[in-house]
Amino acid sequence: MGRKYRIAVIEGDGVGPEIVSEALRLLGELGFDAEYIKIDAGWKYYEETGKPIEDDALDKIRSTDALIKGPVTTPVGPGTYRSVNVYLRKTLGLYANVRPFKSFKNVSLRELDVIIVRENTEGAYSGVEERFDDKAISYRIITRSATERIVRFAFDLARKLGRRKVTVVHKANILKESDGLFRNIFFEIAREYGDIEHDEVIVDAAAYKLVKRPQIFDVIVTPNLYGDILSDLVAGLVGGLGLCGSAQIGENYAAFEPVHGTAKSIAGKGIANPIGEIRAAALMLEWLGEKYSDEKLKKLSRAINSAIVRAVEEGKVLPQDIGGTAKTVDVTNEIIFKSKTFLKHSP
Ligand code: NAI
């Protein structure tokens, strides 16, 4: 019998609870053996308790093998709580935000296969801000240690996955010190990876080129804010935010979530696209499978990803955000059915 995993779960806000429960149902149906430890966090919890996340959340999370989460509301502006996501990334040391994007035939606006690796702990999200009456200052911190770590991560990932090129996206022509440091460290480290091509693109040109000709990109490594913005842009090209999943990886721990937010206007209607959350679950299985040399989990992850591609490209059971009429539960059922078929026919 395989290992029984302990997984922390944050259901989140808006559509979070309905898509997280679907992803966990799918994992159960496909034989993933896990004990789930629920952590309360987000807007609803804040309204009830005055706190954005449980006091002992970190201890509970650290006692588990990985965290799967739904989107959590981050209120806008001063006077409210700071992002639960940023708090978790920093305290758990989840320094690499990895977002793989691959186009679907018949659905995507462009043909592409791009992985965005975003520095996840500093940059514009350092959280160091000051306000002086009508002037506000945000510190955009870039350090050598965090930059070396994320750049090495991107090159190692490219090598592991047999990818051809890593591109650094920055704005070092204007932000000469901060982005200049990020860029220069990238070129220093690139020399250690002679087998992988490397180049650079300024962030505004990157937005343009991603739309015009995304095929020129392979793996992108970039500071925090650019990665956040560009990944929504690429999600749009793929066909919708609801299709894309994300991994946040540290030295010994990782968290998995969809790329999208709480999609409040469709919450509770049973029509949210569950695929981003299911992709997150598949990324979790892949990471756990590597960490614990668990071949069963790797196989499960491959089956789920193949099932998603087949379901979306076949187009018979599509969620509403990509032009279909299917309910959340029907989309999950379709992916469960197709995953089981892939599992039956794979060695
Ligand atoms: P959003 O991603 O919630 O919504 C953008 C658009 O995409 C909306 O039209 C929404 O209906 C649609 N959409 C997103 N996910 C969908 C799904 N699964 N199925 C169908 N349609 C979907 O972005 P927005 O409005 O900027 O953010 C709302 C809240 O989510 C904010 O409080 C924000 O801070 C939070 N957020 C949380 C994230 C996280 O926890 N990782 C990530 C991004 C945003």
Side-chain angles (χ1 to χ4, degrees):
M1 211 175 71
R3 191 175 191 280
K4 185 176 179 110
Y5 292 91
R6 277 171 58 79
I7 306 296
V9 180
I10 293 179
E11 290 181 339
D13 298 308
V15 296
E18 52 200 290
I19 56 174
V20 168
S21 67
E22 285 297 277
L24 301 190
R25 179 168 73 84
L26 170 136
L27 290 175
E29 289 253 1
L30 298 179
F32 176 58
D33 192 14
E35 178 193 353
Y36 294 108
I37 289 88
K38 195 176 159 224
I39 317 282
D40 283 315
W43 182 252
K44 197 161 148 266
Y45 185 68
Y46 177 75
E47 284 193 316
E48 286 162 15
T49 65
K51 298 175 204 165
I53 187 163
E54 283 179 44
D55 284 336
D56 58 349
L58 283 181
D59 288 340
K60 277 165 91 174
I61 292 172
R62 286 192 177 117
S63 76
T64 62
D65 296 305
L67 165 69
I68 186 161
K69 65 180 285 294
V72 172
T73 301
T74 307
V76 176
T80 49
Y81 65 83
R82 285 193 173 273
S83 165
V84 169
N85 297 315
V86 174
Y87 168 74
L88 290 173
R89 289 165 193 169
K90 285 191 179 172
T91 52
L92 297 170
L94 306 176
Y95 66 88
N97 193 323
V98 183
R99 297 182 165 182
F101 297 101
K102 197 161 187 317
S103 49
F104 297 96
K105 287 189 195 84
N106 311 323
V107 168
S108 300
L109 306 180
R110 291 280 183 278
E111 196 185 327
L112 60 90
D113 184 359
V114 180
I115 303 175
I116 297 184
V117 176
R118 155 185 169 199
E119 204 294 319
N120 213 25
T121 60
E122 52 178 37
Y125 294 65
S126 304
V128 187
E129 294 190 306
E130 285 180 83
R131 174 75 181 262
F132 314 88
D133 296 325
D134 287 340
K135 182 163 129 188
I137 300 177
S138 302
Y139 290 86
R140 196 175 160 283
I141 298 169
I142 303 277
T143 63
R144 171 168 282 276
S145 57
T147 306
E148 284 184 353
R149 195 171 57 172
I150 196 68
V151 171
R152 282 215 167 80
F153 182 96
F155 276 102
D156 287 338
L157 183 73
R159 191 176 266 168
K160 188 177 86 184
L161 299 178
R163 311 287 291 224
R164 141 189 80 82
K165 184 172 77 171
V166 180
T167 302
V168 62
V169 169
H170 61 76
K171 189 77 185 175
N173 50 337
I174 304 296
L175 301 166
K176 290 184 187 295
E177 293 301 333
S178 52
D179 275 16
L181 181 63
F182 194 95
R183 172 196 179 270
N184 290 348
I185 291 172
F186 172 83
F187 280 98
E188 273 169 43
I189 289 176
R191 286 201 288 271
E192 297 169 21
Y193 296 83
D195 51 324
I196 296 164
E197 290 171 44
H198 62 277
D199 64 358
E200 62 181 318
V201 181
I202 305 274
V203 64
D204 39 347
Y208 176 74
K209 289 179 180 183
L210 276 164
V211 173
K212 285 291 271 188
R213 213 153 64 87
Q215 303 81 10
I216 63 172
F217 293 98
D218 191 353
V219 175
I220 289 174
V221 64
T222 188
N224 212 333
L225 180 61
Y226 309 145
D228 193 2
I229 296 170
L230 291 181
S231 54
D232 272 33
L233 180 144
V234 180
L237 297 177
V238 166
L241 276 166
L243 290 168
C244 307
S246 153
Q248 306 185 80
I249 298 177
E251 293 302 339
N252 287 305
Y253 196 80
F256 302 86
E257 62 182 3
V259 169
H260 63 77
T262 55
K264 209 167 138 200
S265 65
I266 57 164
K269 297 184 177 166
I271 57 169
N273 185 345
I275 292 177
E277 192 72 55
I278 292 172
R279 280 281 292 143
L283 287 165
M284 179 178 78
L285 296 180
E286 189 185 324
W287 183 81
L288 288 170
E290 279 245 322
K291 184 169 181 194
Y292 295 102
S293 304
D294 189 334
E295 291 306 317
K296 186 180 155 212
L297 292 199
K298 291 190 205 169
K299 189 171 153 185
L300 213 51
S301 173
R302 284 193 297 273
I304 296 168
N305 284 325
S306 303
I308 291 172
V309 174
R310 181 71 60 85
V312 172
E313 293 190 347
E314 221 174 59
K316 288 189 193 141
V317 185
L318 289 184
Q320 299 186 12
D321 61 327
I322 51 170
T325 54
K327 294 268 195 188
T328 308
V329 60
D330 300 320
V331 177
T332 312
N333 286 342
E334 180 73 359
I335 297 169
I336 293 172
F337 174 76
K338 286 187 156 48
S339 301
K340 286 182 176 168
T341 312
F342 275 108
L343 284 171
K344 222 187 295 170
H345 295 110
S346 67

